[in-house]
């Protein structure tokens, strides 16, 4: 199973860009990379996903390296409300259904 | 207002009792999932269902049971056979069989067994 590796924690100053890295060196060609975040005691919130190309939405940008072995989630202007645990997830197809493999994530703290 | 609801938010039970956690979605999603989260850990898959009246075990199904009698509902029963039931339980749903299958999560139920 493809696994992801993320730093345990990161700090970011409010208003600055937060760049959260993720390694997924064993990813297969048809496996998507998903990003979620979880604020304490709430359900994970979907942020963005991608396969090969860089992606951008109203919340964030996702940069995937050409070899697809790593990616970076970018929050362009971090606010205090972005403080959360961020999960980089590879979605696998197992027995005809899609499974997420969750790691322990990166705890991002946005500092005032 | 579309979404996934889980009830209750907090649940307390005595050891040895079965307890059922509710999960309802009005997103018309085919697939539904149950995860367990322990403190400081990621999510682990308990059971999933791709279609009504069908479900499969996930990675940690022992001590749990589910049913899928309706498309919008996927209740999880934590039985007395589950050795460490105290945890945060999360339900999710998604379209099934589509190329990009994003899972959307409910707010979770925190179960404490006394």
């Amino acid at each position: 199973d493809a696994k992801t590796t993320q730093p345990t924690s990161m700090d970011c100053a409010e208003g600055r860009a937060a760049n959260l890295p993720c390694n997924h060196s064993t990813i297969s060609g048809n496996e998507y990379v998903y990003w979620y975040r979880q604020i304490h005691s709430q359900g994970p919130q979907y942020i963005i996903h991608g396969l090969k190309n860089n992606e951008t939405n109203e919340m964030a940008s996702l940069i995937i390296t050409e070899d697809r072995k790593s990616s970076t989630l970018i929050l362009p202007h971090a606010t205090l409300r972005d403080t959360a645990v961020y999960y980089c997830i590879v979605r696998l197809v197992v027995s005809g259904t899609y499974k997420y493999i969750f790691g322990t994530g990166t705890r991002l703290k946005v500092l005032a | 207002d579309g979404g996934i609801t889980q009830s209750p938010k907090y649940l307390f039970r005595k050891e040895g009792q079965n307890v059922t956690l509710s999960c309802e979605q009005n997103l018309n999603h085919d697939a539904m999932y149950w995860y367990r989260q322990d403190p400081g850990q990621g999510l682990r898959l308990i059971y999933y269902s791709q279609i009504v009246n069908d479900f499969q075990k996930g990675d940690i199904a022992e001590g749990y049971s589910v049913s899928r009698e309706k498309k919008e509902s996927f209740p999880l029963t934590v039985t007395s056979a589950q050795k460490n039931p105290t945890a945060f339980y999360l339900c999710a749903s998604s379209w099934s069989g589509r190329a990009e299958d994003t899972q959307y999560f409910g707010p979770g139920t925190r179960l404490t067994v006394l």
Side-chain angles (χ1 to χ4, degrees):
Chain A
D1 289 352
K3 295 180 181 177
T4 61
T5 304
Q6 300 176 254
T8 302
S9 64
M10 294 180 63
D11 291 341
C12 176
E14 188 178 19
R16 305 295 294 268
N19 297 289
L20 289 82
C22 179
N23 288 324
H24 31 79
S25 58
T26 59
I27 195 170
S28 299
N30 61 347
E31 293 171 348
Y32 283 80
V33 178
Y34 276 75
W35 283 83
Y36 284 77
R37 70 181 182 185
Q38 187 177 26
I39 296 170
H40 183 63
S41 294
Q42 297 183 21
Q45 177 190 22
Y46 166 76
I47 302 173
I48 199 167
H49 71 280
L51 182 62
K52 296 179 181 178
N53 300 321
N54 298 338
E55 303 288 345
T56 296
N57 63 20
E58 64 278 5
M59 289 184 68
S61 295
L62 175 61
I63 308 298
I64 302 174
T65 58
E66 192 170 341
D67 63 7
R68 299 208 332 117
K69 293 183 183 299
S70 66
S71 60
T72 300
L73 178 74
I74 301 172
L75 307 178
H77 305 286
T79 70
L80 298 178
R81 285 179 292 183
D82 292 322
T83 293
V85 177
Y86 287 77
Y87 294 100
C88 169
I89 300 157
V90 172
R91 184 173 63 91
L92 310 177
V93 177
V94 178
S95 301
T97 193
Y98 300 104
K99 290 183 66 175
Y100 286 179
I101 307 298
F102 278 83
T104 54
T106 296
R107 187 173 298 277
L108 175 70
K109 183 183 291 186
V110 179
L111 305 172
Chain B
D1 190 20
I4 303 171
T5 57
Q6 292 185 243
S7 61
K9 188 170 178 63
Y10 299 96
L11 190 55
F12 297 88
R13 280 294 182 269
K14 292 183 178 179
E15 193 172 347
Q17 290 182 333
N18 292 354
V19 59
T20 298
L21 282 59
S22 168
C23 177
E24 304 278 333
Q25 55 97 2
N26 60 4
L27 301 168
N28 202 32
H29 285 169
D30 291 310
M32 297 186 73
Y33 311 80
W34 273 105
Y35 292 88
R36 168 186 173 132
Q37 187 174 34
D38 294 287
Q41 302 297 314
L43 282 67
R44 292 184 290 168
L45 183 64
I46 304 172
Y47 267 98
Y48 61 95
S49 169
Q50 291 181 273
I51 196 170
V52 174
N53 293 321
D54 185 55
F55 48 83
Q56 286 80 40
K57 293 181 179 179
D59 300 318
I60 54 165
E62 186 175 351
Y64 300 98
S65 65
V66 294
S67 63
R68 186 83 188 278
E69 298 176 0
K70 298 187 295 182
K71 186 176 185 178
E72 59 270 21
S73 178
F74 191 40
L76 173 74
T77 297
V78 184
T79 75
S80 57
Q82 168 51 232
K83 300 301 181 188
N84 297 297
T86 294
F88 189 44
Y89 290 88
L90 288 154
C91 178
S93 70
S94 69
W95 297 111
S96 181
R98 298 197 177 194
E100 296 184 8
D101 192 35
T102 300
Q103 292 187 19
Y104 295 95
F105 287 83
T109 292
R110 187 167 299 279
L111 172 65
T112 302
V113 175
L114 306 171

